[in-house]
Tab-separated table of all heavy atoms in Angstrom:
chain	number	residue	atom	x	y	z
A	1	MET	N	-60.975	32.126	13.136
A	1	MET	CA	-60.691	30.857	13.648
A	1	MET	C	-60.635	29.849	12.515
A	1	MET	O	-61.350	29.971	11.552
A	1	MET	CB	-61.767	30.465	14.664
A	1	MET	CG	-61.604	29.137	15.249
A	1	MET	SD	-63.090	28.486	16.029
A	1	MET	CE	-63.580	29.885	17.029
A	2	SER	N	-59.779	28.847	12.673
A	2	SER	CA	-59.660	27.926	11.569
A	2	SER	C	-60.861	26.967	11.502
A	2	SER	O	-61.490	26.682	12.507
A	2	SER	CB	-58.375	27.086	11.694
A	2	SER	OG	-58.555	25.919	12.394
A	3	THR	N	-61.146	26.507	10.297
A	3	THR	CA	-62.249	25.578	10.101
A	3	THR	C	-61.946	24.269	10.860
A	3	THR	O	-62.850	23.680	11.442
A	3	THR	CB	-62.424	25.293	8.643
A	3	THR	OG1	-62.700	26.521	7.987
A	3	THR	CG2	-63.567	24.346	8.356
A	4	PHE	N	-60.691	23.872	10.845
A	4	PHE	CA	-60.332	22.604	11.518
A	4	PHE	C	-60.622	22.675	13.014
A	4	PHE	O	-61.240	21.770	13.615
A	4	PHE	CB	-58.844	22.334	11.282
A	4	PHE	CG	-58.394	21.093	11.992
A	4	PHE	CD1	-58.747	19.804	11.496
A	4	PHE	CD2	-57.560	21.166	13.125
A	4	PHE	CE1	-58.330	18.672	12.172
A	4	PHE	CE2	-57.145	20.023	13.766
A	4	PHE	CZ	-57.532	18.748	13.301
A	5	ILE	N	-60.265	23.794	13.650
A	5	ILE	CA	-60.526	23.941	15.103
A	5	ILE	C	-62.010	24.045	15.386
A	5	ILE	O	-62.499	23.477	16.348
A	5	ILE	CB	-59.717	25.111	15.696
A	5	ILE	CG1	-58.204	24.741	15.630
A	5	ILE	CG2	-60.103	25.415	17.149
A	5	ILE	CD1	-57.240	25.849	16.073
A	6	SER	N	-62.770	24.688	14.495
A	6	SER	CA	-64.213	24.755	14.654
A	6	SER	C	-64.814	23.361	14.629
A	6	SER	O	-65.700	23.049	15.412
A	6	SER	CB	-64.859	25.549	13.514
A	6	SER	OG	-64.341	26.878	13.519
A	7	LEU	N	-64.310	22.508	13.724
A	7	LEU	CA	-64.814	21.157	13.635
A	7	LEU	C	-64.457	20.355	14.862
A	7	LEU	O	-65.287	19.594	15.390
A	7	LEU	CB	-64.279	20.465	12.409
A	7	LEU	CG	-64.879	20.929	11.035
A	7	LEU	CD1	-64.049	20.359	9.878
A	7	LEU	CD2	-66.328	20.508	10.944
A	8	LEU	N	-63.221	20.543	15.384
A	8	LEU	CA	-62.825	19.845	16.599
A	8	LEU	C	-63.775	20.185	17.775
A	8	LEU	O	-64.195	19.330	18.509
A	8	LEU	CB	-61.395	20.238	17.012
A	8	LEU	CG	-60.216	19.474	16.449
A	8	LEU	CD1	-58.939	20.044	17.058
A	8	LEU	CD2	-60.338	18.017	16.771
A	9	ARG	N	-64.035	21.473	17.909
A	9	ARG	CA	-64.907	21.946	19.015
A	9	ARG	C	-66.330	21.423	18.838
A	9	ARG	O	-66.950	20.990	19.778
A	9	ARG	CB	-64.934	23.464	19.085
A	9	ARG	CG	-63.607	24.016	19.637
A	9	ARG	CD	-63.580	25.549	19.569
A	9	ARG	NE	-62.284	26.054	20.072
A	9	ARG	CZ	-61.738	27.196	19.683
A	9	ARG	NH1	-62.379	27.976	18.814
A	9	ARG	NH2	-60.591	27.558	20.150
A	10	ALA	N	-66.827	21.482	17.601
A	10	ALA	CA	-68.222	21.066	17.339
A	10	ALA	C	-68.421	19.548	17.528
A	10	ALA	O	-69.533	19.134	18.004
A	10	ALA	CB	-68.592	21.455	15.927
A	11	HIS	N	-67.391	18.758	17.290
A	11	HIS	CA	-67.562	17.307	17.379
A	11	HIS	C	-66.705	16.685	18.492
A	11	HIS	O	-66.406	15.498	18.491
A	11	HIS	CB	-67.186	16.673	16.030
A	11	HIS	CG	-68.050	17.184	14.904
A	11	HIS	ND1	-69.330	16.732	14.704
A	11	HIS	CD2	-67.816	18.155	13.981
A	11	HIS	CE1	-69.881	17.404	13.677
A	11	HIS	NE2	-68.977	18.239	13.197
A	12	HIS	N	-66.391	17.511	19.507
A	12	HIS	CA	-65.547	17.084	20.589
A	12	HIS	C	-66.049	15.783	21.255
A	12	HIS	O	-65.303	14.799	21.403
A	12	HIS	CB	-65.410	18.196	21.653
A	12	HIS	CG	-64.607	17.813	22.826
A	12	HIS	ND1	-63.240	18.034	22.971
A	12	HIS	CD2	-64.985	17.124	23.949
A	12	HIS	CE1	-62.859	17.525	24.110
A	12	HIS	NE2	-63.854	16.985	24.748
A	13	ASP	N	-67.332	15.771	21.644
A	13	ASP	CA	-67.870	14.617	22.400
A	13	ASP	C	-67.837	13.354	21.527
A	13	ASP	O	-67.477	12.289	22.030
A	13	ASP	CB	-69.268	14.909	22.910
A	13	ASP	CG	-69.307	16.010	23.972
A	13	ASP	OD1	-68.189	16.283	24.554
A	13	ASP	OD2	-70.357	16.578	24.246
A	14	ALA	N	-68.235	13.478	20.267
A	14	ALA	CA	-68.274	12.301	19.401
A	14	ALA	C	-66.855	11.752	19.216
A	14	ALA	O	-66.636	10.544	19.165
A	14	ALA	CB	-68.897	12.667	18.055
A	15	LEU	N	-65.874	12.690	19.058
A	15	LEU	CA	-64.481	12.279	18.874
A	15	LEU	C	-63.960	11.537	20.088
A	15	LEU	O	-63.292	10.495	19.978
A	15	LEU	CB	-63.653	13.547	18.632
A	15	LEU	CG	-62.216	13.388	18.265
A	15	LEU	CD1	-62.009	12.636	16.987
A	15	LEU	CD2	-61.555	14.766	18.170
A	16	MET	N	-64.303	12.024	21.294
A	16	MET	CA	-63.786	11.393	22.524
A	16	MET	C	-64.439	10.068	22.830
A	16	MET	O	-63.826	9.251	23.557
A	16	MET	CB	-63.999	12.367	23.723
A	16	MET	CG	-63.163	13.632	23.640
A	16	MET	SD	-61.420	13.219	23.546
A	16	MET	CE	-60.793	14.670	22.779
A	17	THR	N	-65.645	9.815	22.308
A	17	THR	CA	-66.303	8.582	22.637
A	17	THR	C	-66.359	7.597	21.461
A	17	THR	O	-67.004	6.546	21.569
A	17	THR	CB	-67.744	8.862	23.127
A	17	THR	OG1	-68.438	9.587	22.091
A	17	THR	CG2	-67.752	9.663	24.391
A	18	ALA	N	-65.698	7.910	20.356
A	18	ALA	CA	-65.717	7.024	19.177
A	18	ALA	C	-64.946	5.744	19.486
A	18	ALA	O	-63.709	5.765	19.622
A	18	ALA	CB	-65.103	7.754	17.988
A	19	SER	N	-65.668	4.609	19.599
A	19	SER	CA	-64.991	3.377	20.006
A	19	SER	C	-64.180	2.755	18.864
A	19	SER	O	-63.246	1.991	19.084
A	19	SER	CB	-66.013	2.365	20.512
A	19	SER	OG	-67.001	2.164	19.514
A	20	HIS	N	-64.530	3.102	17.644
A	20	HIS	CA	-63.791	2.551	16.494
A	20	HIS	C	-62.432	3.236	16.250
A	20	HIS	O	-61.594	2.750	15.533
A	20	HIS	CB	-64.634	2.623	15.213
A	20	HIS	CG	-64.964	4.028	14.794
A	20	HIS	ND1	-65.980	4.739	15.435
A	20	HIS	CD2	-64.438	4.825	13.859
A	20	HIS	CE1	-66.029	5.945	14.844
A	20	HIS	NE2	-65.103	6.024	13.917
A	21	ALA	N	-62.249	4.402	16.901
A	21	ALA	CA	-61.002	5.153	16.756
A	21	ALA	C	-60.639	5.769	18.061
A	21	ALA	O	-60.797	6.967	18.287
A	21	ALA	CB	-61.143	6.214	15.655
A	22	PRO	N	-60.082	4.971	19.022
A	22	PRO	CA	-59.787	5.478	20.342
A	22	PRO	C	-58.756	6.629	20.305
A	22	PRO	O	-57.790	6.590	19.481
A	22	PRO	CB	-59.221	4.301	21.074
A	22	PRO	CG	-59.353	3.101	20.207
A	22	PRO	CD	-59.719	3.544	18.843
A	23	VAL	N	-58.960	7.629	21.165
A	23	VAL	CA	-58.082	8.788	21.229
A	23	VAL	C	-57.029	8.545	22.321
A	23	VAL	O	-57.440	8.320	23.476
A	23	VAL	CB	-58.911	10.073	21.486
A	23	VAL	CG1	-57.987	11.269	21.618
A	23	VAL	CG2	-59.935	10.260	20.408
A	24	SER	N	-55.755	8.523	21.972
A	24	SER	CA	-54.688	8.305	22.935
A	24	SER	C	-54.512	9.495	23.848
A	24	SER	O	-54.963	10.600	23.507
A	24	SER	CB	-53.386	8.026	22.200
A	24	SER	OG	-52.915	9.187	21.598
A	25	PRO	N	-53.821	9.320	24.985
A	25	PRO	CA	-53.552	10.488	25.895
A	25	PRO	C	-52.841	11.600	25.129
A	25	PRO	O	-53.103	12.796	25.374
A	25	PRO	CB	-52.712	9.886	27.001
A	25	PRO	CG	-53.148	8.438	27.053
A	25	PRO	CD	-53.398	8.071	25.613
A	26	ASP	N	-51.855	11.219	24.281
A	26	ASP	CA	-51.128	12.288	23.532
A	26	ASP	C	-52.072	13.064	22.598
A	26	ASP	O	-51.974	14.282	22.473
A	26	ASP	CB	-50.020	11.642	22.689
A	26	ASP	CG	-48.815	11.271	23.496
A	26	ASP	OD1	-48.699	11.738	24.670
A	26	ASP	OD2	-47.945	10.502	22.962
A	27	MET	N	-52.972	12.323	21.949
A	27	MET	CA	-53.919	12.981	21.061
A	27	MET	C	-54.879	13.890	21.866
A	27	MET	O	-55.204	14.987	21.421
A	27	MET	CB	-54.753	11.947	20.276
A	27	MET	CG	-53.924	11.223	19.212
A	27	MET	SD	-54.787	9.716	18.605
A	27	MET	CE	-56.076	10.436	17.642
A	28	LYS	N	-55.303	13.445	23.056
A	28	LYS	CA	-56.175	14.255	23.909
A	28	LYS	C	-55.482	15.540	24.308
A	28	LYS	O	-56.118	16.637	24.297
A	28	LYS	CB	-56.608	13.468	25.198
A	28	LYS	CG	-57.650	12.434	24.857
A	28	LYS	CD	-58.069	11.740	26.135
A	28	LYS	CE	-59.120	10.659	25.809
A	28	LYS	NZ	-59.377	9.756	26.858
A	29	ARG	N	-54.181	15.486	24.647
A	29	ARG	CA	-53.460	16.714	24.973
A	29	ARG	C	-53.381	17.663	23.768
A	29	ARG	O	-53.548	18.856	23.902
A	29	ARG	CB	-52.050	16.408	25.471
A	29	ARG	CG	-51.998	16.006	26.941
A	29	ARG	CD	-50.560	16.058	27.525
A	29	ARG	NE	-49.633	15.106	26.838
A	29	ARG	CZ	-49.593	13.827	27.156
A	29	ARG	NH1	-50.306	13.315	28.134
A	29	ARG	NH2	-48.750	13.032	26.517
A	30	ALA	N	-53.144	17.125	22.612
A	30	ALA	CA	-53.013	17.958	21.386
A	30	ALA	C	-54.366	18.568	21.067
A	30	ALA	O	-54.434	19.756	20.709
A	30	ALA	CB	-52.536	17.104	20.216
A	31	ILE	N	-55.427	17.780	21.194
A	31	ILE	CA	-56.812	18.270	20.880
A	31	ILE	C	-57.169	19.396	21.902
A	31	ILE	O	-57.686	20.465	21.485
A	31	ILE	CB	-57.849	17.142	20.944
A	31	ILE	CG1	-57.630	16.216	19.765
A	31	ILE	CG2	-59.251	17.689	21.007
A	31	ILE	CD1	-58.328	14.872	19.871
A	32	ALA	N	-56.850	19.186	23.218
A	32	ALA	CA	-57.149	20.216	24.183
A	32	ALA	C	-56.402	21.547	23.897
A	32	ALA	O	-56.950	22.636	24.011
A	32	ALA	CB	-56.808	19.691	25.597
A	33	ALA	N	-55.120	21.403	23.444
A	33	ALA	CA	-54.345	22.607	23.119
A	33	ALA	C	-54.933	23.325	21.929
A	33	ALA	O	-55.017	24.541	21.923
A	33	ALA	CB	-52.904	22.199	22.844
A	34	MET	N	-55.348	22.565	20.930
A	34	MET	CA	-55.983	23.199	19.733
A	34	MET	C	-57.301	23.833	20.073
A	34	MET	O	-57.596	24.915	19.599
A	34	MET	CB	-56.124	22.201	18.617
A	34	MET	CG	-54.766	21.823	17.978
A	34	MET	SD	-54.926	20.765	16.539
A	34	MET	CE	-55.110	19.153	17.293
A	35	GLU	N	-58.103	23.183	20.893
A	35	GLU	CA	-59.398	23.736	21.240
A	35	GLU	C	-59.303	24.974	22.136
A	35	GLU	O	-60.195	25.810	22.065
A	35	GLU	CB	-60.240	22.678	21.969
A	35	GLU	CG	-60.739	21.587	21.040
A	35	GLU	CD	-61.448	20.441	21.752
A	35	GLU	OE1	-61.292	20.307	22.982
A	35	GLU	OE2	-62.219	19.709	21.063
A	36	SER	N	-58.222	25.105	22.876
A	36	SER	CA	-58.110	26.301	23.718
A	36	SER	C	-57.366	27.438	22.997
A	36	SER	O	-57.236	28.547	23.528
A	36	SER	CB	-57.382	25.995	25.018
A	36	SER	OG	-56.038	25.706	24.774
A	37	CYS	N	-56.883	27.170	21.764
A	37	CYS	CA	-56.153	28.140	21.008
A	37	CYS	C	-57.023	29.381	20.738
A	37	CYS	O	-58.177	29.261	20.362
A	37	CYS	CB	-55.725	27.533	19.665
A	37	CYS	SG	-54.789	28.617	18.629
A	38	GLN	N	-56.500	30.543	21.036
A	38	GLN	CA	-57.144	31.830	20.801
A	38	GLN	C	-58.435	31.917	21.645
A	38	GLN	O	-59.432	32.500	21.182
A	38	GLN	CB	-57.409	32.134	19.362
A	38	GLN	CG	-56.097	32.372	18.621
A	38	GLN	CD	-56.262	32.815	17.238
A	38	GLN	OE1	-57.270	32.557	16.562
A	38	GLN	NE2	-55.250	33.520	16.671
A	39	THR	N	-58.438	31.348	22.856
A	39	THR	CA	-59.472	31.572	23.834
A	39	THR	C	-58.769	32.102	25.113
A	39	THR	O	-57.547	32.055	25.213
A	39	THR	CB	-60.201	30.257	24.211
A	39	THR	OG1	-59.295	29.432	24.958
A	39	THR	CG2	-60.747	29.522	22.980
A	40	GLU	N	-59.549	32.638	26.059
A	40	GLU	CA	-58.925	33.156	27.258
A	40	GLU	C	-58.249	32.070	28.052
A	40	GLU	O	-57.360	32.344	28.894
A	40	GLU	CB	-59.918	33.940	28.071
A	40	GLU	CG	-60.360	35.196	27.319
A	40	GLU	CD	-60.961	36.254	28.209
A	40	GLU	OE1	-61.137	36.025	29.424
A	40	GLU	OE2	-61.195	37.338	27.692
A	41	ALA	N	-58.634	30.779	27.799
A	41	ALA	CA	-57.986	29.688	28.499
A	41	ALA	C	-56.515	29.593	28.130
A	41	ALA	O	-55.674	29.089	28.899
A	41	ALA	CB	-58.681	28.367	28.154
A	42	ALA	N	-56.113	30.102	26.945
A	42	ALA	CA	-54.723	30.067	26.510
A	42	ALA	C	-53.997	31.346	26.958
A	42	ALA	O	-52.853	31.516	26.625
A	42	ALA	CB	-54.658	29.941	24.991
A	43	GLY	N	-54.622	32.194	27.745
A	43	GLY	CA	-54.039	33.463	28.186
A	43	GLY	C	-54.372	34.555	27.201
A	43	GLY	O	-54.887	34.308	26.126
A	44	TRP	N	-54.064	35.762	27.582
A	44	TRP	CA	-54.397	36.899	26.696
A	44	TRP	C	-53.402	38.046	27.003
A	44	TRP	O	-52.680	38.061	27.981
A	44	TRP	CB	-55.839	37.389	26.913
A	44	TRP	CG	-56.197	37.573	28.348
A	44	TRP	CD1	-56.775	36.646	29.191
A	44	TRP	CD2	-56.068	38.721	29.140
A	44	TRP	NE1	-56.959	37.135	30.397
A	44	TRP	CE2	-56.542	38.439	30.451
A	44	TRP	CE3	-55.543	40.002	28.919
A	44	TRP	CZ2	-56.518	39.345	31.491
A	44	TRP	CZ3	-55.540	40.908	29.944
A	44	TRP	CH2	-56.001	40.611	31.194
A	45	SER	N	-53.350	38.998	26.035
A	45	SER	CA	-52.490	40.171	26.226
A	45	SER	C	-53.328	41.419	26.004
A	45	SER	O	-54.293	41.399	25.200
A	45	SER	CB	-51.287	40.161	25.277
A	45	SER	OG	-51.730	40.158	23.931
A	46	GLN	N	-52.970	42.496	26.708
A	46	GLN	CA	-53.700	43.728	26.640
A	46	GLN	C	-52.886	44.744	25.829
A	46	GLN	O	-51.674	44.886	26.054
A	46	GLN	CB	-53.937	44.268	28.049
A	46	GLN	CG	-54.829	45.477	28.188
A	46	GLN	CD	-56.264	45.089	28.258
A	46	GLN	OE1	-56.632	44.064	28.850
A	46	GLN	NE2	-57.131	45.866	27.615
A	47	TRP	N	-53.490	45.353	24.819
A	47	TRP	CA	-52.777	46.314	23.984
A	47	TRP	C	-53.447	47.662	24.066
A	47	TRP	O	-54.691	47.746	24.150
A	47	TRP	CB	-52.784	45.822	22.496
A	47	TRP	CG	-51.994	44.573	22.339
A	47	TRP	CD1	-52.414	43.306	22.589
A	47	TRP	CD2	-50.620	44.491	21.885
A	47	TRP	NE1	-51.386	42.400	22.333
A	47	TRP	CE2	-50.308	43.068	21.890
A	47	TRP	CE3	-49.705	45.409	21.489
A	47	TRP	CZ2	-49.047	42.653	21.519
A	47	TRP	CZ3	-48.458	44.958	21.082
A	47	TRP	CH2	-48.136	43.582	21.137
A	48	TYR	N	-52.598	48.722	24.071
A	48	TYR	CA	-53.155	50.069	24.214
A	48	TYR	C	-52.455	51.001	23.233
A	48	TYR	O	-51.287	50.966	23.138
A	48	TYR	CB	-52.962	50.537	25.696
A	48	TYR	CG	-53.365	51.959	25.902
A	48	TYR	CD1	-54.750	52.299	25.921
A	48	TYR	CD2	-52.462	52.976	26.088
A	48	TYR	CE1	-55.166	53.611	26.119
A	48	TYR	CE2	-52.837	54.294	26.319
A	48	TYR	CZ	-54.190	54.568	26.300
A	48	TYR	OH	-54.597	55.851	26.532
A	49	CYS	N	-53.219	51.795	22.518
A	49	CYS	CA	-52.645	52.746	21.576
A	49	CYS	C	-52.631	54.144	22.189
A	49	CYS	O	-53.675	54.659	22.576
A	49	CYS	CB	-53.450	52.785	20.296
A	49	CYS	SG	-52.870	54.007	19.121
A	50	ARG	N	-51.441	54.723	22.349
A	50	ARG	CA	-51.301	56.053	22.964
A	50	ARG	C	-51.938	57.152	22.141
A	50	ARG	O	-52.307	58.171	22.673
A	50	ARG	CB	-49.782	56.412	23.082
A	50	ARG	CG	-49.263	56.123	24.478
A	50	ARG	CD	-47.868	56.686	24.563
A	50	ARG	NE	-46.927	55.578	24.265
A	50	ARG	CZ	-45.641	55.742	24.154
A	50	ARG	NH1	-45.093	56.899	24.278
A	50	ARG	NH2	-44.854	54.683	23.957
A	51	HIS	N	-51.995	56.938	20.824
A	51	HIS	CA	-52.490	57.995	19.922
A	51	HIS	C	-53.985	58.138	19.952
A	51	HIS	O	-54.525	59.221	20.124
A	51	HIS	CB	-51.969	57.728	18.543
A	51	HIS	CG	-50.499	57.652	18.452
A	51	HIS	ND1	-49.679	58.752	18.582
A	51	HIS	CD2	-49.675	56.578	18.310
A	51	HIS	CE1	-48.424	58.343	18.538
A	51	HIS	NE2	-48.390	57.031	18.346
A	52	CYS	N	-54.717	57.023	19.818
A	52	CYS	CA	-56.194	57.109	19.758
A	52	CYS	C	-56.866	56.502	20.997
A	52	CYS	O	-58.095	56.484	21.092
A	52	CYS	CB	-56.709	56.435	18.490
A	52	CYS	SG	-56.525	54.607	18.527
A	53	HIS	N	-56.047	56.088	21.963
A	53	HIS	CA	-56.535	55.536	23.237
A	53	HIS	C	-57.387	54.281	23.068
A	53	HIS	O	-58.106	53.880	23.960
A	53	HIS	CB	-57.309	56.587	24.008
A	53	HIS	CG	-56.540	57.845	24.225
A	53	HIS	ND1	-55.415	57.895	25.013
A	53	HIS	CD2	-56.674	59.098	23.669
A	53	HIS	CE1	-54.916	59.123	24.963
A	53	HIS	NE2	-55.660	59.847	24.158
A	54	HIS	N	-57.227	53.660	21.892
A	54	HIS	CA	-57.910	52.373	21.667
A	54	HIS	C	-57.205	51.326	22.491
A	54	HIS	O	-55.962	51.299	22.556
A	54	HIS	CB	-57.874	52.016	20.189
A	54	HIS	CG	-58.418	50.679	19.898
A	54	HIS	ND1	-59.757	50.401	19.766
A	54	HIS	CD2	-57.785	49.471	19.680
A	54	HIS	CE1	-59.924	49.129	19.539
A	54	HIS	NE2	-58.769	48.548	19.439
A	55	HIS	N	-57.960	50.446	23.111
A	55	HIS	CA	-57.297	49.310	23.794
A	55	HIS	C	-57.995	48.040	23.389
A	55	HIS	O	-59.187	48.030	23.080
A	55	HIS	CB	-57.152	49.479	25.317
A	55	HIS	CG	-58.448	49.652	25.976
A	55	HIS	ND1	-59.179	48.667	26.512
A	55	HIS	CD2	-59.158	50.785	26.267
A	55	HIS	CE1	-60.261	49.108	27.072
A	55	HIS	NE2	-60.305	50.430	26.919
A	56	ASP	N	-57.266	46.927	23.411
A	56	ASP	CA	-57.805	45.651	22.989
A	56	ASP	C	-57.192	44.542	23.804
A	56	ASP	O	-56.095	44.649	24.286
A	56	ASP	CB	-57.442	45.472	21.487
A	56	ASP	CG	-58.534	44.753	20.727
A	56	ASP	OD1	-59.444	44.197	21.392
A	56	ASP	OD2	-58.458	44.701	19.504
A	57	ARG	N	-57.943	43.473	23.921
A	57	ARG	CA	-57.480	42.334	24.641
A	57	ARG	C	-57.485	41.182	23.665
A	57	ARG	O	-58.495	40.839	23.065
A	57	ARG	CB	-58.497	42.099	25.739
A	57	ARG	CG	-58.214	40.961	26.691
A	57	ARG	CD	-59.221	41.081	27.801
A	57	ARG	NE	-59.448	39.806	28.446
A	57	ARG	CZ	-59.456	39.641	29.783
A	57	ARG	NH1	-59.338	40.657	30.565
A	57	ARG	NH2	-59.656	38.458	30.287
A	58	LEU	N	-56.284	40.593	23.415
A	58	LEU	CA	-56.148	39.590	22.391
A	58	LEU	C	-55.827	38.235	23.041
A	58	LEU	O	-54.909	38.127	23.865
A	58	LEU	CB	-55.023	39.941	21.421
A	58	LEU	CG	-55.204	41.296	20.690
A	58	LEU	CD1	-54.037	41.617	19.857
A	58	LEU	CD2	-56.454	41.288	19.861
A	59	CYS	N	-56.570	37.210	22.660
A	59	CYS	CA	-56.289	35.893	23.180
A	59	CYS	C	-55.066	35.257	22.514
A	59	CYS	O	-54.843	35.481	21.290
A	59	CYS	CB	-57.484	34.971	22.921
A	59	CYS	SG	-58.952	35.516	23.861
A	60	MET	N	-54.309	34.524	23.247
A	60	MET	CA	-53.064	33.941	22.729
A	60	MET	C	-53.392	32.690	21.890
A	60	MET	O	-54.414	32.010	22.147
A	60	MET	CB	-52.124	33.546	23.876
A	60	MET	CG	-51.874	34.668	24.852
A	60	MET	SD	-50.995	36.047	24.122
A	60	MET	CE	-49.337	35.535	24.501
A	61	SER	N	-52.533	32.427	20.969
A	61	SER	CA	-52.713	31.210	20.171
A	61	SER	C	-51.697	30.154	20.586
A	61	SER	O	-50.841	30.415	21.400
A	61	SER	CB	-52.602	31.495	18.682
A	61	SER	OG	-51.328	32.070	18.438
I	101	ZN	ZN1	-54.533	54.054	17.653
């Protein structure tokens, strides 16, 4: 996971309530999209290997 997205998630509440730097609706949509990146909220895909029978579930970015 990127450091930038980790920081967004860690400081989400402070960012949303910072009165000196109001977050516009467009910025809120962009932040929500980045925060859900590579989580199950963004959807996921199931992968299966016929050779070793390994399967994995990968979150979408
Ligand atoms: Zn395999």
